Structures are given as structure tokens and as C-alpha cells.
Amino acid sequence: MRRSIPTLLLPLVLAACGGGATPNPNPNPNPTPVNQIRARIVACPLVNQSSDPAASACLAGTYSGKTLSGADCSLVVQANGDYTFTSPALSTTYVASDRTIRVFGHQNVGGMHQVIWLIGDPIQSGDSYDLDFKYADGLGRTLEIEATKRPAAGGTLSSTCTAVLN
């Protein structure tokens, strides 16, 4: 499956589908300092539409912020693409498999970094989960993470976690 990825002025986007839910009401108590998060994103390899799992391993770490209501939230990303999103409204865990489709790209345009990471399973039964991870390097350096659960029975439940990286 090939996806076309726009390469100009794109925020960091992580989209993940699939996985199972694991309730965990407590965000990670040891988040990565914000200056290290920006450095980690900027240090990602400069590649375009790579499906190599090693390309996105640079995103491994803990991201923390606040929900729209001001509650603590976090995202923990493993080097292999597994992740755990935790907020009071929604907690999910995604485990990458041999069916997982990955697309990763990173460009540095005039000192502004654009990174895209898409990850998901093409065939999923039961509940499905999406995660959008957006980082805008030149626009206040805001990191926005939105997790969404789509139960097999219908409907959606989502939670947004935002951090400002200076």
C-alpha cells in the first residue's frame, strides 16, 4: 500500500489504527523534558516515505501535556512503534505486528522541520484506535496528540493532549 505524503510545511503526524485498549489512569510520572523532545524530533533521519521501522525509532520516548480540561495526559512511544496513550477520558495501548503498515518522512525546509509518521494495521476486527501526533516546528512549537477509539458497536471516544515545546 503506497500513500502520497505532502512534503511542504507539514506538521508531525502520527496516525495509528488497531491495537487493544488497556486502561491506565495514571500518565507517565517521568516525562521527557520538552527541550529534549524537540531535539529528538529534529534529529530524526531525513527520509521520504520510508517503511523501515528503524526510521521512526527516533520518536521513541515519553511525551506529556494537558487535555483541553487541564488534566495530565501522556504518550509513550517505543522504538518498534508500540505506544501507550493515557488521559482521564481515554487510555489505549497499540502493539505493532508483522501486518503493520508504516510510512515515515522527515524534511528540513529552511530550518523548519516537518515530520510525518503513519502507522496502522490494514485489517482489524473489534475496536479500532487512531492516534494523530502533530508537531509544528515554526508555529510556537506545539505538540498535539489526539487519540480516538472507535468501538466495534459504533460511536467514537477521543481525547486531545497538548504540550508546548520551547
Side-chain angles (χ1 to χ4, degrees):
M1 179 173 162
R2 184 171 174 106
R3 297 182 188 195
S4 174
I5 299 177
T7 57
L8 186 59
L9 301 176
L10 293 173
L12 177 63
V13 177
L14 164 75
C17 302
T22 303
N24 181 358
N26 301 316
N28 187 320
N30 301 310
T32 306
V34 295
N35 61 335
Q36 291 178 16
I37 291 173
R38 182 180 184 284
R40 175 189 314 140
I41 293 169
V42 169
C44 285
L46 295 170
V47 295
N48 188 25
Q49 298 188 11
S50 175
S51 61
D52 184 345
S56 61
C58 60
L59 298 176
T62 301
Y63 304 85
S64 64
K66 298 285 184 183
T67 64
L68 298 175
S69 66
D72 290 338
C73 51
S74 70
L75 172 68
V76 178
V77 178
Q78 304 298 321
N80 66 354
D82 295 355
Y83 72 81
T84 300
F85 177 86
T86 306
S87 79
L90 179 63
S91 294
T92 63
T93 296
Y94 174 84
V95 178
S97 73
D98 58 352
R99 297 181 318 252
T100 298
I101 293 175
R102 304 165 191 262
V103 180
F104 179 85
H106 175 205
Q107 288 194 11
N108 178 351
V109 179
M112 184 184 303
H113 294 268
Q114 300 92 37
V115 178
I116 294 177
W117 181 32
L118 306 169
I119 182 170
D121 290 329
I123 300 173
Q124 179 65 33
S125 61
D127 297 346
S128 66
Y129 300 87
D130 297 327
L131 187 71
D132 294 336
F133 183 104
K134 300 173 184 164
Y135 173 72
D137 190 56
L139 304 172
R141 296 183 179 150
T142 300
L143 172 66
E144 183 176 289
I145 305 160
E146 181 180 14
T148 303
K149 176 181 179 180
R150 291 184 177 80
T156 60
L157 175 63
S158 67
S159 179
T160 300
C161 184
T162 302
V164 176
L165 308 181
N166 294 319

